[in-house]
Amino acid sequence: MNHRNKRGEKRREFLRFSMVMAAGTSLMSLAFAKIDDINDAINKSGRQRMLSQRMAKAYLQLGQGIDIYHSRKILASSITTFEAQLAELSAYAPTAENRQVFALMEKNWIDYKNQLSGAVPNTTAAKNLMLMSDEMLMLAQSATVQLEKFSGSPSAKLVNLAGRQRMLSQRMAKYYQALQWGVAPPDAIAKLEAARKDFIAAMDVLQGAPANTAQIKDGLALAQQQWLFFDNALHQFGEKSANPQDKLLLLNTVASSSERILEVMDNVTSLYQKNV
């Protein structure tokens, strides 16, 4: 396939993604739900942190042709979920300070969403997207901490901590994919390593939590198993590999294993929300 054909295929893939995203947005508006309680709010606000990183990760994967079908679905579903949850959280916000943060998130979301869906993924846009994803993460983190503080309960801390693991899995994958595409900021490796250390430390805290049920312990054990595969792939950057297929295999491994950890930790977070 020549260069022109490759560009044409990328454009067709992105147009198909845009149609999926439009349909997903319509369905999400019909399934709008209210927040049940403060732990539900903490869970969803924490999920916004994760989605800020997951959307950027999926964009980077699309730009490199990594598992295009699933990356396109991940980006579309993440956009619709982020937008719906932002509306829910803005309506629920229990304090003026919390409302102010969500208002700023709504403002920033317009530009972030346009960047995610406005053009075929390219390296120039990807570099801007890296900055925008971190800005959105900081706002979502602030909102989640505010909600935990407002709750004041020990259970809120576990919901927040477990939920943050979801974000870290996507943040590590985001920086890995950015490094492979050559669009990472100068401190990307340091930030990836910091996220890795945070993930390991939080797993130790969660595994030792007295409030853990048998179901939560099983979920954490499964997450630990998935972490071994993910961590191994993260430490093999593969830039100097003589075989492009080896590099592609690592890119796909990071993409898939980060999603598996996310799924497990999302379930564990929901268990903490309901059981503690």
Side-chain angles (χ1 to χ4, degrees):
M1 183 182 290
N2 61 35
H3 185 63
R4 181 175 296 177
N5 288 339
K6 286 182 179 179
R7 286 190 302 175
E9 178 60 25
K10 276 191 176 183
R11 186 172 297 277
R12 285 192 293 273
E13 289 286 353
F14 195 74
L15 288 173
R16 284 194 287 271
F17 154 72
S18 299
M19 289 187 288
V20 170
M21 189 186 71
T25 303
S26 176
L27 291 173
M28 181 61 71
S29 65
L30 296 175
F32 192 85
K34 291 184 178 180
I35 291 174
D36 295 329
D37 53 38
I38 187 62
N39 275 356
D40 188 25
I42 294 168
N43 187 2
K44 287 182 176 178
S45 183
R47 190 178 288 123
Q48 297 293 82
R49 293 179 299 200
M50 176 276 291
L51 291 170
S52 73
Q53 305 302 286
R54 191 183 189 218
M55 289 183 284
K57 180 196 76 170
Y59 181 97
L60 296 170
Q61 290 174 182
L62 283 170
Q64 297 175 85
I66 301 166
D67 196 0
I68 291 176
Y69 174 76
H70 287 109
S71 296
R72 187 169 64 243
K73 287 185 66 176
I74 287 168
L75 183 52
S77 64
S78 296
I79 287 174
T80 54
T81 302
F82 187 95
E83 195 159 67
Q85 288 188 159
L86 183 54
E88 293 176 43
L89 289 161
S90 297
Y92 177 87
T95 67
E97 182 185 35
N98 199 225
R99 287 192 292 273
Q100 185 177 18
V101 174
F102 283 124
L104 187 54
M105 285 179 68
E106 289 177 336
K107 181 180 178 181
N108 285 18
W109 172 238
I110 296 172
D111 290 336
Y112 192 25
K113 181 181 178 182
N114 288 340
Q115 188 75 76
L116 287 164
S117 56
V120 176
N122 60 84
T123 55
T124 300
K127 291 176 182 179
N128 292 330
L129 202 68
M130 294 295 291
L131 298 174
M132 297 173 79
S133 67
D134 280 354
E135 290 170 358
M136 190 63 76
L137 170 59
M138 286 190 293
L139 290 172
Q141 169 67 8
S142 295
T144 308
V145 171
Q146 288 170 354
L147 288 166
E148 181 194 320
K149 183 179 178 181
F150 179 80
S151 170
S153 70
S155 64
K157 294 183 182 296
L158 289 173
V159 174
N160 185 9
L161 186 63
R164 189 168 180 267
Q165 297 293 77
R166 299 172 297 192
M167 178 275 291
L168 291 172
S169 72
Q170 302 306 294
R171 185 167 176 79
M172 287 182 278
K174 179 191 80 170
Y175 278 117
Y176 183 92
Q177 304 293 17
L179 284 162
Q180 296 295 343
W181 203 15
V183 298
D187 59 351
I189 293 178
K191 286 185 175 179
L192 195 162
E193 184 59 26
R196 179 181 175 274
K197 290 179 179 178
D198 284 352
F199 186 93
I200 293 171
M203 284 299 291
D204 287 342
V205 174
L206 291 170
Q207 288 169 337
N212 287 353
T213 64
Q215 197 173 8
I216 289 174
K217 289 178 182 178
D218 287 344
L220 290 171
L222 181 56
Q224 189 66 38
Q225 291 174 7
Q226 295 297 334
W227 166 248
L228 296 177
F229 293 105
F230 185 45
D231 192 39
N232 182 62
L234 288 173
H235 281 85
Q236 300 180 56
F237 287 99
E239 294 97 336
K240 298 180 180 180
S241 173
N243 185 356
Q245 292 302 316
D246 291 342
K247 180 176 178 179
L248 183 61
L249 177 62
L250 286 172
L251 289 166
N252 277 280
T253 299
V254 168
S256 60
S257 57
S258 67
E259 286 296 307
R260 287 195 292 269
I261 292 177
L262 166 59
E263 182 179 359
V264 174
M265 288 310 303
D266 193 50
N267 182 56
V268 169
T269 305
S270 295
L271 289 173
Y272 276 123
Q273 176 191 328
K274 297 172 183 176
N275 296 329
V276 298

